Amino acid sequence: MSMIHTIREDGQETVQRFPKYKPLIPIREVDGVVYVSGHGPENINTYEPLYRGRVGADLTLEEGYAAAAECAKTLLRAVQERYGSLDCIHHMVRALALVNCGEDFTEPEKVADGFSDTCMQILQERGQHARTVMGTRNMPNHNIPVEVEMIFVLVDVYRNKGERNKDGTI
């Protein structure tokens, strides 16, 4: 196997997990705490953005809220795919939301509420989390309106179940 297609973890050679961006992986588990890389409002199969533009310029606040809700669904689908169930989430810890704001838009926290509200709807009390929101004017993936990353604690029985074997399988 070529070094371009492998990485080393704990001295073991393994297939990269996130081939779209070679140095990155979408989910990292460390001692029962799971860090999920930022995702925008994207189609889970194609990674194509469902929304584009700046909130307050190209998109309304309501569209920004809906885009943030899609971020929650995308992140939770990635967790479910990795661990087989959302029951793996003991509780969310923290979320960081970056909102692509138009020049006069001053309410990025209301956009991020789409993410938080959706997590609470899906996970109930386990979805409560600390949150940081930042407005910006420069976002990746063809100018997406919002990107969110999250951290959560695993239920003990799921620890290390999402880790991949040497051949890349889970």
Side-chain angles (χ1 to χ4, degrees):
M1 196 178 293
S2 152
M3 266 319 262
I4 283 202
H5 300 295
T6 62
I7 57 174
R8 292 204 175 270
E9 284 187 6
D10 301 324
Q12 300 292 325
E13 195 171 87
T14 183
V15 175
Q16 289 184 359
R17 299 177 193 162
F18 201 30
K20 187 175 179 187
Y21 303 106
K22 302 240 186 272
L24 304 178
I25 58 174
I27 297 175
R28 169 72 71 177
E29 178 185 334
V30 179
D31 296 329
V33 177
V34 179
Y35 302 82
V36 185
S37 293
H39 285 276
E42 61 196 27
N43 179 303
I44 191 92
N45 298 313
T46 66
Y47 299 105
E48 286 298 314
L50 299 172
Y51 294 86
R52 287 193 173 106
R54 290 188 173 104
V55 181
D58 309 308
L59 300 170
T60 65
L61 170 61
E62 293 76 20
E63 290 169 319
Y65 180 97
E70 287 298 327
C71 291
K73 294 172 191 174
T74 299
L75 286 160
L76 292 173
R77 272 188 234 121
V79 169
Q80 185 172 3
E81 183 178 294
R82 175 75 175 263
Y83 292 98
S85 171
L86 292 179
D87 292 340
C88 70
I89 298 174
H90 185 275
H91 63 275
M92 287 184 60
V93 175
R94 181 177 186 271
L96 168 65
L98 304 172
V99 179
N100 193 0
C101 297
E103 190 172 326
D104 295 324
F105 186 74
T106 60
E107 300 178 301
E109 71 283 357
K110 290 184 179 177
V111 172
D113 285 345
F115 172 84
S116 297
D117 292 347
T118 302
C119 287
M120 286 295 295
Q121 287 170 357
I122 294 170
L123 299 171
Q124 307 289 311
E125 288 183 15
R126 296 179 301 138
Q128 291 179 319
H129 54 274
R131 184 181 81 186
T132 300
V133 180
M134 187 176 118
T136 184
R137 289 187 40 85
N138 186 13
M139 293 290 279
N141 203 4
H142 307 288
N143 203 31
I144 58 174
V146 62
E147 180 174 338
V148 182
E149 66 180 41
M150 70 180 201
I151 301 169
F152 68 91
V153 174
L154 273 176
V155 172
D156 284 342
V157 298
Y158 285 90
R159 283 179 149 210
N160 301 315
K161 288 198 173 194
E163 293 301 309
R164 295 188 186 264
N165 299 320
K166 188 174 181 178
D167 65 358
T169 61
I170 292 180

Coordinates of all heavy atoms in Angstrom, one line a residue, residues 10 13 33 104:
D10 N -0.8 4.9 16.5 CA -0.2 4.0 17.5 C 0.7 2.9 16.9 O 0.7 1.8 17.3 CB -1.4 3.3 18.2 CG -2.3 4.3 18.9 OD1 -1.9 5.3 19.4 OD2 -3.5 4.0 18.9
E13 N -0.1 0.8 10.7 CA -0.4 1.4 9.4 C -1.9 1.1 9.2 O -2.4 0.0 9.4 CB 0.4 0.7 8.3 CG 0.4 1.5 7.0 CD 1.4 0.9 6.0 OE1 1.0 0.0 5.3 OE2 2.5 1.4 6.0
V33 N -14.2 10.6 24.7 CA -14.7 11.9 24.2 C -14.5 11.9 22.7 O -13.4 11.5 22.2 CB -13.9 13.1 24.9 CG1 -14.3 14.4 24.3 CG2 -14.0 13.1 26.4
D104 N -24.1 43.7 7.2 CA -24.8 44.3 8.3 C -25.5 43.2 9.2 O -26.3 43.6 10.1 CB -25.9 45.2 7.7 CG -25.3 46.4 7.0 OD1 -24.2 46.9 7.5 OD2 -25.8 46.8 6.0

